[in-house]
Amino acid sequence: MLLVVCQDGPTAKWAAGPFDCGARGWTALRVYPLVAGPDNLPVITDARTAAKNPALAVLFALAHARNPDCDAILEAISSALQELRETDPDTAEYFFDFLEVTLGKTPAGEK
């Protein structure tokens, strides 16, 4: 399975494919990626909701990195990860690092 995470609707629509792979005139493989983007993932701005499943909350935060509510999204995920840090510091640190790298120069990454 191929998962593609997009931060805008038009890119997500394109990324859904299909994509054909093969030699000239012969399709050996047709790929329909699973696309996660702002149009099909919820915005999580509540720390308790983010804490229930931090991995999904991190994925959702990445998909909504260009959302005008990115401050509230980042506050919720940060609170959830701070709580996770108490019981599983390695995983919390991994998620913090993942967000730092993947948010890049998006509005959320600038925060």
Side-chain angles (χ1 to χ4, degrees), residues 7-34:
Q7 296 174 345
D8 64 81
T11 303
K13 186 176 179 177
W14 168 84
F19 298 98
D20 293 335
C21 303
R24 194 175 297 159
W26 181 67
T27 299
L29 175 69
R30 180 167 284 159
V31 179
Y32 294 86
L34 176 61

Side-chain angles (χ1 to χ4, degrees), residues 6 15-16 19 28 35 37 39 43 46 52 55 65 78 94 98 102-104:
C6 298
F19 298 98
V35 178
D39 295 337
V43 173
D46 175 63
K52 288 179 185 175
S78 179
Y94 174 83
F98 176 82
T102 58
L103 293 177

Side-chain angles (χ1 to χ4, degrees), residues 21-110:
C21 303
R24 194 175 297 159
W26 181 67
T27 299
L29 175 69
R30 180 167 284 159
V31 179
Y32 294 86
L34 176 61
V35 178
D39 295 337
N40 65 355
L41 294 179
V43 173
I44 296 178
T45 57
D46 175 63
R48 269 193 263 167
T49 303
K52 288 179 185 175
N53 194 329
L56 279 180
V58 167
L59 178 67
F60 294 176
L62 176 59
H64 290 285
R66 299 180 190 285
N67 187 303
D69 291 331
C70 66
D71 286 342
I73 294 167
L74 292 177
E75 277 185 40
I77 192 68
S78 179
S79 293
L81 293 180
Q82 292 292 351
E83 184 180 317
L84 178 63
R85 188 178 264 162
E86 295 172 16
T87 58
D88 189 351
D90 292 338
T91 300
E93 201 58 39
Y94 174 83
F95 287 143
F96 274 123
D97 291 345
F98 176 82
L99 284 172
E100 182 178 353
V101 169
T102 58
L103 293 177
K105 296 185 190 276
T106 65
E110 301 289 325

